[in-house]
Amino acid sequence: MFSKIRETGLGYSLQILFNRVVPCRLFRCRRFLILELPEPPQTASRPLPDLVYRWAETAEEFQQAQQLSGVNKLPSDSQVRLAIAVKNQQVIGVIWTAAEVFPESELGLHYEMRPGNFWFFSTCVHQDHRRRGVYRNLFAFTANQLRIEIPTSRFWLAINPDNQRSMQAHLAMRVRPAARAFSIRVTRMAKARTTPYENYQLKLLRKGTWNCWKNPLRVKIP
Ligand SMILES: CC(C)(COP(=O)(O)OP(=O)(O)OC[C@H]1O[C@@H](n2cnc3c(N)ncnc32)[C@H](O)[C@@H]1OP(=O)(O)O)[C@@H](O)C(=O)NCCC(=O)NCCS
C-alpha cells in the first residue's frame, strides 16, 4: 500500500479517499491543469505482443472500459468515442473522447471547444500493464486517427497536478499547459477560477452559478 501511495503521491491518495467518503452530489473541489496535446506522441519502442489499438465496437468492450476507467455515466450531450488497447479480448487501456463539448458534471463545468476539437477524459491503463508504453501508443493511435478524419483537430484534457503518474505520463508526451484552474461545487452551487498561460485565450464565461445542474459554468477553449 505504501509503495502505491508513494507512486501516486500522498496528496492525490488523500483526495481519492476523500472522494470515496464524501458523496459526489454533495461536494467536490479540485485544482487541475488544462492541457493541449499539440502533436500525437511517438509510439513506444517496446510494443507489447498481442496488443491491438482500435476503436471500441461492442457493448462488452464499452462495459469493460467503463469498469476499468470508473466511468458510470457517459455525457449525453457530447458525441463520445472510445479508443481501447485490447489484449486477449480484455480491454487494458482506455481513452474516451468527446467532440466539441464536454460536461465535467462533478464540478458543474462545461468545456466548449471549436468544431473539430476533442476532449480526452477518464484515460486509464490496467495496473498490470503500466509502464510498458500502452498509454503512449493508445494516445498516438487516438490522436492520429482523429487527425486523419479532421486534419486540423486539436486535443485537450484536464489533469490533477497531484496525480504524479498522470503528470509524468503527459509530460513525457510533451503536452502544453493551457491554463491552471480551481473549481468547487457544494450541491448545485459552483465556483471556478481559470488562469490561462500565455498564448492561450481560454475564457471562463462566469465565475459562479447558483445552479450548475441547469446553468453549468462554461469554459471556452480556444
Ligand atoms: C497515467 C497512466 C495512464 C500511464 O499509463 P502507462 O501505460 O503506464 O504509460 P506509458 O507506459 O505509456 O508511459 C509513457 C511515459 O510516461 C512516463 N510515465 C508513465 N507512468 C509513469 C510513472 N508512474 N512514473 C514516472 N513516469 C511515468 C514515462 O516517461 C513513460 O515512458 P517510459 O516508460 O519509456 O519512461 C497510468 O498510470 C494510469 O492508468 N494511471 C491511473 C489513471 C490515471 O491517473 N489516468 C490519468 C487521468 S488524467
Coordinates of all heavy atoms in Angstrom, one line a residue, residues 35-87:
L35 N -4.7 21.0 -20.4 CA -3.6 20.8 -21.3 C -4.0 20.6 -22.7 O -5.1 20.1 -23.0 CB -2.9 19.5 -20.9 CG -2.4 19.3 -19.4 CD1 -1.9 17.9 -19.2 CD2 -1.3 20.3 -19.1
E36 N -3.1 21.0 -23.6 CA -3.3 20.7 -25.0 C -2.2 19.7 -25.4 O -1.0 19.9 -25.0 CB -3.2 21.9 -25.9 CG -3.4 21.6 -27.3 CD -3.3 22.7 -28.3 OE1 -2.8 23.8 -28.0 OE2 -3.7 22.5 -29.5
L37 N -2.6 18.7 -26.2 CA -1.6 17.8 -26.8 C -1.3 18.3 -28.2 O -2.2 18.1 -29.1 CB -2.1 16.4 -26.8 CG -1.2 15.4 -27.4 CD1 -0.2 14.9 -26.4 CD2 -2.0 14.2 -28.0
P38 N -0.2 19.0 -28.5 CA 0.0 19.6 -29.8 C 0.2 18.6 -30.9 O -0.4 18.7 -32.0 CB 1.2 20.5 -29.7 CG 1.7 20.4 -28.3 CD 0.9 19.3 -27.6
E39 N 0.9 17.6 -30.7 CA 1.2 16.5 -31.7 C 1.0 15.2 -31.1 O 1.3 14.9 -29.9 CB 2.6 16.6 -32.2 CG 2.9 17.8 -33.0 CD 2.1 17.9 -34.3 OE1 1.9 16.8 -34.9 OE2 1.7 19.0 -34.7
P40 N 0.4 14.2 -31.9 CA 0.4 12.8 -31.4 C 1.8 12.4 -31.0 O 2.7 12.7 -31.7 CB -0.1 12.0 -32.6 CG -0.8 13.0 -33.5 CD -0.1 14.3 -33.2
P41 N 1.9 11.7 -29.8 CA 3.3 11.3 -29.4 C 3.9 10.2 -30.3 O 3.1 9.5 -31.0 CB 3.0 10.7 -28.0 CG 1.6 10.4 -28.0 CD 0.9 11.2 -28.9
Q42 N 5.2 10.0 -30.2 CA 5.9 8.9 -30.9 C 5.4 7.6 -30.3 O 5.2 7.6 -29.0 CB 7.4 9.1 -30.7 CG 8.0 10.3 -31.2 CD 8.2 10.2 -32.7 OE1 8.6 9.3 -33.2 NE2 7.7 11.3 -33.4
T43 N 5.3 6.6 -31.1 CA 4.9 5.3 -30.4 C 6.1 4.7 -29.7 O 7.2 5.0 -30.0 CB 4.4 4.3 -31.5 OG1 5.3 4.3 -32.6 CG2 3.0 4.6 -32.0
A44 N 5.8 3.9 -28.6 CA 6.8 3.4 -27.8 C 7.7 2.4 -28.5 O 7.2 1.7 -29.4 CB 6.2 2.8 -26.5
S45 N 8.9 2.3 -28.1 CA 9.8 1.4 -28.8 C 9.7 0.0 -28.4 O 10.3 -0.9 -29.0 CB 11.3 1.9 -28.6 OG 11.5 2.1 -27.2
R46 N 9.0 -0.3 -27.2 CA 8.9 -1.7 -26.8 C 7.4 -2.1 -26.8 O 6.8 -2.2 -25.8 CB 9.3 -1.8 -25.3 CG 10.7 -1.3 -25.0 CD 10.9 -1.1 -23.5 NE 10.5 0.2 -23.1 CZ 9.8 0.5 -22.1 NH1 9.2 -0.5 -21.4 NH2 9.5 1.7 -21.8
P47 N 6.8 -2.3 -28.0 CA 5.4 -2.7 -28.1 C 5.2 -4.0 -27.4 O 6.0 -4.9 -27.6 CB 5.1 -2.7 -29.6 CG 6.4 -2.8 -30.3 CD 7.5 -2.3 -29.3
L48 N 4.0 -4.1 -26.8 CA 3.7 -5.4 -26.1 C 3.1 -6.4 -27.2 O 2.4 -5.9 -28.1 CB 2.6 -5.2 -25.1 CG 3.0 -4.5 -23.8 CD1 1.8 -4.4 -22.9 CD2 4.1 -5.4 -23.1
P49 N 3.5 -7.7 -27.1 CA 3.0 -8.6 -28.1 C 1.5 -8.8 -27.9 O 1.0 -8.6 -26.8 CB 3.7 -9.9 -27.8 CG 4.3 -9.7 -26.5 CD 4.4 -8.3 -26.2
D50 N 0.8 -9.2 -28.9 CA -0.7 -9.5 -28.9 C -1.6 -8.3 -28.5 O -2.6 -8.5 -27.9 CB -1.0 -10.6 -27.9 CG -0.2 -11.8 -28.1 OD1 0.2 -12.1 -29.3 OD2 0.2 -12.5 -27.1
L51 N -1.0 -7.1 -28.6 CA -1.8 -6.0 -28.2 C -2.3 -5.2 -29.4 O -1.6 -4.9 -30.4 CB -0.9 -5.1 -27.4 CG -1.6 -4.0 -26.5 CD1 -2.5 -4.6 -25.5 CD2 -0.5 -3.2 -25.8
V52 N -3.6 -4.9 -29.4 CA -4.2 -4.2 -30.5 C -4.8 -2.8 -30.1 O -5.4 -2.8 -29.0 CB -5.4 -5.0 -31.1 CG1 -6.0 -4.3 -32.3 CG2 -4.8 -6.4 -31.6
Y53 N -4.6 -1.8 -30.8 CA -5.2 -0.5 -30.5 C -6.3 -0.2 -31.6 O -6.0 -0.3 -32.8 CB -4.1 0.6 -30.6 CG -3.0 0.4 -29.6 CD1 -1.8 -0.3 -30.0 CD2 -3.1 0.8 -28.3 CE1 -0.8 -0.6 -29.1 CE2 -2.1 0.5 -27.4 CZ -1.0 -0.1 -27.8 OH 0.0 -0.4 -26.9
R54 N -7.5 0.1 -31.1 CA -8.6 0.4 -32.1 C -9.7 1.0 -31.4 O -9.7 1.2 -30.2 CB -9.0 -1.0 -32.7 CG -9.5 -2.0 -31.7 CD -10.1 -3.2 -32.5 NE -10.4 -4.3 -31.6 CZ -11.5 -4.4 -30.9 NH1 -12.4 -3.4 -30.9 NH2 -11.7 -5.5 -30.1
W55 N -10.7 1.4 -32.2 CA -12.0 2.0 -31.6 C -12.8 0.8 -31.1 O -12.9 -0.2 -31.7 CB -12.8 2.8 -32.7 CG -12.0 4.0 -33.2 CD1 -11.5 4.1 -34.4 CD2 -11.8 5.2 -32.5 NE1 -10.9 5.4 -34.6 CE2 -11.1 6.0 -33.4 CE3 -12.0 5.6 -31.2 CZ2 -10.6 7.3 -33.0 CZ3 -11.6 6.9 -30.8 CH2 -10.9 7.7 -31.7
A56 N -13.5 1.1 -29.9 CA -14.4 0.1 -29.4 C -15.6 -0.1 -30.2 O -16.1 0.9 -30.8 CB -14.8 0.5 -28.0
E57 N -16.1 -1.3 -30.3 CA -17.2 -1.6 -31.2 C -18.4 -2.2 -30.4 O -19.5 -1.9 -30.6 CB -16.8 -2.5 -32.3 CG -16.0 -1.8 -33.4 CD -15.1 -2.8 -34.2 OE1 -15.3 -4.0 -34.0 OE2 -14.3 -2.3 -35.0
T58 N -18.1 -3.2 -29.5 CA -19.2 -3.9 -29.0 C -19.6 -3.4 -27.6 O -18.8 -2.7 -26.9 CB -18.7 -5.4 -28.8 OG1 -17.7 -5.4 -27.8 CG2 -18.3 -6.0 -30.1
A59 N -20.8 -3.8 -27.2 CA -21.3 -3.4 -25.8 C -20.4 -3.9 -24.7 O -20.1 -3.3 -23.7 CB -22.7 -3.9 -25.7
E60 N -19.9 -5.1 -25.0 CA -19.0 -5.8 -24.0 C -17.7 -4.9 -23.8 O -17.2 -4.7 -22.7 CB -18.6 -7.2 -24.5 CG -17.5 -7.9 -23.9 CD -17.8 -8.5 -22.5 OE1 -19.0 -8.6 -22.3 OE2 -16.8 -8.7 -21.8
E61 N -17.2 -4.4 -24.9 CA -15.9 -3.6 -24.8 C -16.2 -2.3 -24.1 O -15.4 -1.8 -23.2 CB -15.4 -3.3 -26.2 CG -14.7 -4.5 -26.8 CD -14.5 -4.3 -28.3 OE1 -14.9 -3.3 -28.9 OE2 -13.8 -5.2 -28.9
F62 N -17.4 -1.7 -24.3 CA -17.8 -0.4 -23.6 C -17.9 -0.7 -22.1 O -17.5 0.1 -21.3 CB -19.1 0.1 -24.2 CG -18.8 1.1 -25.3 CD1 -18.7 0.6 -26.6 CD2 -18.7 2.4 -25.2 CE1 -18.5 1.4 -27.7 CE2 -18.5 3.3 -26.2 CZ -18.4 2.8 -27.5
Q63 N -18.5 -1.9 -21.8 CA -18.7 -2.2 -20.4 C -17.4 -2.4 -19.7 O -17.1 -1.9 -18.6 CB -19.5 -3.5 -20.4 CG -20.3 -3.7 -19.1 CD -21.1 -4.9 -19.1 OE1 -21.0 -5.8 -20.1 NE2 -21.9 -5.1 -18.1
Q64 N -16.5 -3.2 -20.4 CA -15.1 -3.4 -19.8 C -14.4 -2.1 -19.5 O -13.8 -1.8 -18.5 CB -14.3 -4.3 -20.7 CG -14.6 -5.7 -20.6 CD -13.6 -6.6 -21.4 OE1 -12.5 -6.2 -21.6 NE2 -14.1 -7.7 -22.0
A65 N -14.5 -1.2 -20.6 CA -13.8 0.1 -20.5 C -14.4 1.0 -19.3 O -13.7 1.6 -18.6 CB -14.0 0.9 -21.8
Q66 N -15.7 0.9 -19.2 CA -16.4 1.7 -18.1 C -15.9 1.2 -16.7 O -15.6 2.0 -15.8 CB -17.9 1.6 -18.2 CG -18.4 2.5 -19.3 CD -19.9 2.6 -19.3 OE1 -20.6 1.9 -20.0 NE2 -20.5 3.6 -18.6
Q67 N -15.8 -0.1 -16.6 CA -15.3 -0.7 -15.3 C -13.9 -0.3 -15.1 O -13.5 0.2 -14.0 CB -15.3 -2.2 -15.4 CG -16.6 -2.8 -14.7 CD -16.7 -4.2 -15.0 OE1 -15.8 -4.9 -15.3 NE2 -17.9 -4.7 -14.7
L68 N -13.0 -0.4 -16.1 CA -11.6 0.0 -15.9 C -11.4 1.4 -15.6 O -10.6 1.8 -14.7 CB -10.8 -0.4 -17.2 CG -9.3 -0.1 -17.2 CD1 -8.6 -0.9 -16.2 CD2 -8.7 -0.4 -18.6
S69 N -12.1 2.3 -16.2 CA -11.9 3.7 -16.0 C -12.8 4.4 -15.0 O -12.7 5.6 -14.8 CB -12.0 4.5 -17.4 OG -13.3 4.2 -18.0
G70 N -13.7 3.6 -14.5 CA -14.6 4.1 -13.4 C -15.6 5.1 -14.0 O -16.1 6.0 -13.2
V71 N -16.0 5.0 -15.3 CA -17.0 5.9 -15.8 C -18.4 5.3 -15.6 O -18.6 4.2 -16.1 CB -16.7 6.1 -17.3 CG1 -17.9 6.9 -18.0 CG2 -15.4 6.9 -17.6
N72 N -19.2 6.0 -14.8 CA -20.5 5.4 -14.6 C -21.5 5.8 -15.7 O -22.3 5.0 -16.1 CB -21.1 5.9 -13.2 CG -20.2 5.4 -12.1 OD1 -19.6 4.3 -12.2 ND2 -19.9 6.3 -11.1
K73 N -21.4 7.1 -16.0 CA -22.5 7.6 -16.9 C -21.8 8.4 -18.0 O -20.9 9.3 -17.7 CB -23.4 8.6 -16.1 CG -24.7 8.8 -16.7 CD -25.6 9.5 -15.7 CE -26.7 10.2 -16.5 NZ -26.7 11.6 -16.3
L74 N -22.1 8.1 -19.3 CA -21.5 8.9 -20.4 C -22.2 10.2 -20.6 O -23.4 10.3 -20.4 CB -21.5 8.1 -21.6 CG -20.6 6.8 -21.6 CD1 -20.8 6.0 -22.9 CD2 -19.2 7.3 -21.5
P75 N -21.5 11.3 -20.9 CA -22.2 12.6 -21.2 C -23.2 12.4 -22.3 O -22.8 11.9 -23.4 CB -21.0 13.5 -21.5 CG -19.8 12.7 -21.8 CD -20.0 11.4 -21.1
S76 N -24.4 12.9 -22.1 CA -25.5 12.7 -23.1 C -25.4 13.7 -24.2 O -25.8 13.4 -25.3 CB -26.8 12.7 -22.4 OG -26.9 13.9 -21.7
D77 N -24.8 14.9 -23.9 CA -24.9 16.0 -24.9 C -23.6 16.1 -25.7 O -23.3 17.0 -26.3 CB -25.3 17.3 -24.3 CG -24.6 17.6 -23.0 OD1 -23.8 16.7 -22.6 OD2 -24.9 18.6 -22.4
S78 N -22.7 15.0 -25.6 CA -21.5 15.1 -26.4 C -21.5 13.8 -27.3 O -22.0 12.8 -27.0 CB -20.2 15.0 -25.6 OG -20.3 15.7 -24.4
Q79 N -20.7 14.0 -28.4 CA -20.5 12.8 -29.3 C -19.3 12.1 -28.7 O -18.2 12.6 -28.9 CB -20.3 13.2 -30.7 CG -20.5 12.1 -31.7 CD -19.8 12.5 -33.0 OE1 -19.7 13.7 -33.4 NE2 -19.4 11.5 -33.7
V80 N -19.5 10.9 -28.1 CA -18.4 10.2 -27.4 C -17.9 9.0 -28.2 O -18.7 8.3 -28.8 CB -18.9 9.7 -26.0 CG1 -17.8 8.9 -25.4 CG2 -19.2 10.9 -25.1
R81 N -16.6 8.9 -28.3 CA -16.0 7.7 -28.9 C -15.0 7.1 -28.0 O -14.4 7.9 -27.1 CB -15.3 8.0 -30.3 CG -16.3 8.2 -31.4 CD -15.7 8.9 -32.5 NE -15.0 7.9 -33.3 CZ -14.4 8.3 -34.5 NH1 -14.4 9.5 -34.9 NH2 -13.7 7.4 -35.2
L82 N -14.7 5.9 -28.1 CA -13.8 5.2 -27.1 C -12.7 4.4 -27.9 O -12.9 3.6 -28.7 CB -14.7 4.2 -26.4 CG -14.0 3.2 -25.5 CD1 -13.2 3.8 -24.4 CD2 -15.0 2.2 -24.9
A83 N -11.5 4.8 -27.5 CA -10.3 4.1 -28.1 C -9.8 3.2 -27.0 O -9.7 3.5 -25.8 CB -9.2 5.1 -28.4
I84 N -9.5 1.9 -27.4 CA -9.1 0.9 -26.5 C -7.8 0.2 -26.9 O -7.5 0.1 -28.1 CB -10.2 -0.1 -26.3 CG1 -10.7 -0.7 -27.6 CG2 -11.4 0.4 -25.5 CD1 -11.7 -1.8 -27.5
A85 N -7.1 -0.3 -25.9 CA -6.0 -1.2 -26.1 C -6.5 -2.6 -25.6 O -7.0 -2.7 -24.5 CB -4.8 -0.8 -25.2
V86 N -6.4 -3.6 -26.5 CA -7.0 -4.9 -26.2 C -5.9 -6.0 -26.2 O -5.2 -6.0 -27.2 CB -8.1 -5.3 -27.2 CG1 -8.8 -6.6 -26.9 CG2 -9.1 -4.2 -27.4
K87 N -5.9 -6.8 -25.2 CA -5.0 -8.0 -25.1 C -5.9 -9.2 -24.8 O -6.5 -9.2 -23.7 CB -3.9 -7.7 -24.1 CG -2.8 -8.7 -24.1 CD -1.8 -8.3 -23.1 CE -0.8 -9.4 -22.7 NZ 0.2 -9.7 -23.7

